[in-house]
Amino acid sequence: MKTSKIFDHWLYVSFILFYSGTIFPNELFQFKGAVVTSNALATEAGEKILAEGGNAYDAATTISAMLSVVEPFASGLGGGAFWLIYDAKSKEYKMLDARETAPLQSHKNMYLDENENIIKNLSTLGPLSAGIPGIPAVLSYVNDKYGSKKLSTLLTPAYKAAINGFPVNERYLKGANYKKKWLKKYKETEAIFLDKGEVPKKGWILKQTDLAKTIKKIMKDGHKSFYTGSFAKKMLESVRNNGGIWSEEDLNRYKVLEREPVRSSYKGISIIAPGLPSSGGLVLSNALNILAGYELDKFSPTTQKHLIIEALRRAYYQRAIKMGDPDFMDESLEFLLTPSFAAKQRESINITYATDNQTLEFANPTYQGQGNDTTHFAVIDKFGNRVAVTQSINFWFGSAFVPKGTGILLNNEMDDFSIKPGTENGYGLIGYNANAVEPGKRMLSSMTPTFLESNKGFVILGTPGGSRIISMILLAALEWIDGGNAKSMVSLPRFHHQYHPDYVLYEEEAFMPNEINELESMGHILKKSNRQFGNMQIIMWDHKNNKIEIASDPRGKEKSREEIY
Ligand code: DON
């Protein structure tokens, strides 16, 4: 079965050897690589590049652009991304930071009224909610530095999908339904994504003519044609006419930043994940360091879950009070990775009671008080290069604003900043000064493309899901350590705690009835989610059995992001 041929099939995974399931590389004539994405068209485009001799960077470039066209509700050229790379030649791990940046005219109180109250929807709807996009720049960056094929070749599938159109899937329709009011707010957006003002029927062909022209321009002149010259002027004019504050300088100065990923270890496995401005690597590593002090399997299932919740509470607490764009911080947060700090955090964990959030400040003497949507994909090639990318425009259809004549749907990532100290953003996360809005700053993210490695093999994983991304990765990592495989890791029922709001959000099957009673009697507040969350994509290499395994989250099947976020 070659699943990627089937539109809307839930398992959008493929092996280049036209084989799906498990590959045993030694037994096969030639392993050309593997791709996993949330969308059949993107998977197919990526595998074609590998089959034609492209490397993982080439395939990832094609997939990123393709997803930007065929899943416009989740990510796009108007958004940002984190790339995690293992480069087989140099044997180096790299993180590419293509996160959006706050415009130079932005300021701390820009979403507040004169009484310092939050103005509803200002950080989520329209051009004022959009950071300067990073995806066009990262496609060029990767192509210049790591690519083996021309950018114009790699962007051709995305161009064709935009100009010829493609039938929208169930997820598109659910998202469009959910965001219909916002899509209708801007004529340009309505004309592209709705069918005469209405949510289209399944099978409707979405053509994006302006986006196709924009892609063509990038194919011809590179990403500079997006950030400078007549195209940039066109975007700016429309952004500014609609209340936005982007400037020419904002676009001209946008840069992809190459950073060192966070590296840590937990019970014999290495974890490689993005560092700030993604909170993913630090929160994941800190939570695992806390758990490393326990022999989890010696405890009852309820106590194991209690300890995971308490570890998450503490790691997300550090996120809230300390984390932001590292280029705007005086303090290094390396201490969060140390076993001694984790040991200190463990001191306050009671094995039988939930911790009161008010008591957490112990670990933080310098604390000053006030001081779907997204997508993940991965590629591995025959050379051993590995690429994991999470890219986003933040919420469903981002800001819902398309600058006139550009086809670029802008993100609403400005909402990932802490727009007022201690108040919740769209994911219920709170933050303080470290993540306050500042000109040129990158907003804190939870996107966590991750590599796990051990003598068993390695896993490339990631998922959308806003603040819940990091706890999903943690649960999947623990499942791997417990002997789980790619399929069990993506399917695992999930639970989540993020310090604030102080409750455990869980999927229906995450707890047995007795566990619910026991956790509640320990003082945890449990909230059953009426939606599933995540859309995890995994490529796994198993050294012992010498096989590759790929899995896509079953939650991705015919579900809207709203349902799976
Ligand atoms: O960067 C972040 O943390 C968020 N903007 C990611 C958004 C996301 O995962 C939405 N998906 N459901």
Side-chain angles (χ1 to χ4, degrees), residues 55-365:
N55 61 24
Y57 308 107
D58 296 327
T61 303
T62 292
I63 293 167
S64 170
M66 192 67 172
L67 286 169
S68 299
V69 175
V70 299
E71 291 196 348
F73 50 84
S75 70
L77 297 179
F82 291 108
W83 286 52
L84 188 71
I85 285 171
Y86 172 71
D87 186 57
K89 199 160 150 215
S90 62
K91 296 193 166 39
E92 279 179 352
Y93 296 92
K94 287 279 169 223
M95 159 193 175
L96 303 183
D97 169 1
R99 184 67 161 161
E100 295 89 339
T101 55
L104 292 169
Q105 282 173 34
S106 62
H107 59 91
K108 207 172 173 159
N109 293 333
M110 65 187 278
Y111 300 111
L112 308 182
D113 66 17
E114 62 281 7
N115 300 318
E116 304 211 338
N117 293 319
I118 292 173
I119 304 169
K120 200 168 171 235
N121 292 341
L122 211 56
S123 64
T124 47
L125 175 63
L128 206 56
S129 68
I132 306 302
I135 290 184
V138 79
L139 296 181
S140 265
Y141 185 93
V142 169
N143 187 245
D144 288 349
K145 190 148 181 192
Y146 301 100
S148 75
K149 288 179 177 285
K150 281 193 187 140
L151 188 62
S152 56
T153 308
L154 300 176
L155 299 192
T156 298
Y159 169 74
K160 284 189 178 160
I163 196 93
N164 299 331
F166 59 93
V168 293
N169 62 17
E170 204 69 43
R171 283 192 288 145
Y172 180 98
L173 300 180
K174 285 191 178 162
N177 206 24
Y178 170 59
K179 277 292 169 85
K180 183 175 167 191
K181 214 167 106 192
W182 280 24
L183 294 176
K184 283 175 86 75
K185 181 153 168 73
Y186 296 104
K187 286 281 156 261
E188 191 84 5
T189 314
E190 176 177 348
I192 301 170
F193 297 111
L194 294 178
D195 182 11
K196 298 180 199 79
E198 292 305 319
V199 175
K201 300 260 178 304
K202 193 171 176 187
W204 181 70
I205 304 293
L206 172 62
K207 289 190 184 177
Q208 300 171 84
T209 326
D210 286 338
L211 179 61
K213 281 188 210 144
T214 301
I215 295 172
K216 189 96 197 179
K217 223 169 152 42
I218 299 174
M219 283 162 69
K220 198 165 146 272
D221 303 325
H223 74 293
K224 286 262 179 287
S225 67
F226 181 95
Y227 294 94
T228 58
S230 60
F231 183 82
K233 275 210 172 70
K234 190 161 30 167
M235 270 202 302
L236 289 175
E237 200 178 290
S238 186
V239 161
R240 297 193 76 99
N241 283 344
N242 286 278
I245 53 172
W246 289 12
S247 68
E248 212 172 316
E249 195 184 349
D250 281 316
L251 287 167
N252 294 348
R253 73 203 284 273
Y254 186 86
K255 271 197 176 46
V256 172
L257 301 171
E258 200 156 314
R259 301 183 189 271
E260 284 307 308
V262 168
R263 300 185 63 167
S264 60
S265 60
Y266 173 79
K267 300 194 174 170
I269 67 159
S270 304
I271 298 117
I272 302 110
L276 297 173
S278 167
S279 60
L282 288 176
V283 173
L284 179 65
S285 302
N286 182 218
L288 286 171
N289 280 347
I290 296 172
L291 291 174
Y294 304 100
E295 285 190 60
L296 274 186
D297 48 8
K298 297 252 158 71
F299 292 101
S300 71
T302 305
T303 305
Q304 289 181 28
K305 285 166 180 163
H306 165 69
L307 291 172
I308 293 169
I309 292 163
E310 292 303 329
L312 288 170
R313 182 198 303 280
R314 284 159 178 76
Y316 273 92
Y317 169 66
Q318 295 301 324
R319 183 194 197 279
I321 60 168
K322 295 270 185 193
M323 296 183 199
D325 183 337
D327 298 339
F328 286 70
M329 286 166 45
D330 300 329
E331 184 189 17
S332 156
L333 298 188
E334 285 287 305
F335 73 91
L336 288 176
L337 297 171
T338 59
S340 58
F341 185 72
K344 200 154 174 266
Q345 289 172 298
R346 263 193 312 272
E347 280 171 17
S348 66
I349 296 182
N350 185 308
I351 214 82
T352 47
Y353 289 112
T355 302
D356 177 351
N357 269 351
Q358 303 298 321
T359 63
L360 282 184
E361 281 174 34
F362 78 95
N364 198 42

Side-chain angles (χ1 to χ4, degrees), residues 8-9 12 37-40 67 70-71 73-74 168-177 202 372-375 396-397 464 535 537 555-564:
D8 276 344
H9 194 286
Y12 298 136
T37 89
S38 58
N39 186 288
L67 286 169
V70 299
E71 291 196 348
F73 50 84
V168 293
N169 62 17
E170 204 69 43
R171 283 192 288 145
Y172 180 98
L173 300 180
K174 285 191 178 162
N177 206 24
K202 193 171 176 187
N372 209 309
D373 227 65
T374 303
T375 188
W396 269 111
F397 287 98
N535 195 3
Q537 311 295 326
R555 295 162 181 85
K557 185 192 173 193
E558 300 281 295
K559 292 239 162 61
S560 74
R561 292 290 166 166
E562 168 61 3
E563 280 173 298
I564 62 174

Side-chain angles (χ1 to χ4, degrees), residues 380-392:
I380 178 169
D381 65 18
K382 62 183 173 188
F383 311 106
N385 297 309
R386 287 179 243 159
V387 179
V389 179
T390 310
Q391 62 181 39
S392 185

Side-chain angles (χ1 to χ4, degrees), residues 4 21 28 55 90 106-107 134 166 176 359 366 370 379 416 433 512:
S4 58
L28 293 171
N55 61 24
S90 62
S106 62
H107 59 91
F166 59 93
T359 63
T366 59
Q370 296 297 301
V379 186
D416 276 350
N433 278 351
M512 306 291 282

Side-chain angles (χ1 to χ4, degrees), residues 74 82 99-100 277-279 319 372-375 390-396 412-413 415-416 425 427 429 443-448 463-470 472 533-535 561-562 564-565:
F82 291 108
R99 184 67 161 161
E100 295 89 339
S278 167
S279 60
R319 183 194 197 279
N372 209 309
D373 227 65
T374 303
T375 188
T390 310
Q391 62 181 39
S392 185
I393 49 171
N394 202 20
F395 292 108
W396 269 111
N412 60 356
E413 300 282 3
D415 189 63
D416 276 350
N425 76 353
Y427 300 102
L429 291 165
M443 55 297 276
L444 189 61
S445 173
S446 303
M447 293 192 286
T448 317
T463 179
S467 58
R468 297 170 217 171
I469 292 172
I470 312 168
M472 288 190 250
F533 40 96
N535 195 3
R561 292 290 166 166
E562 168 61 3
I564 62 174
Y565 144 64

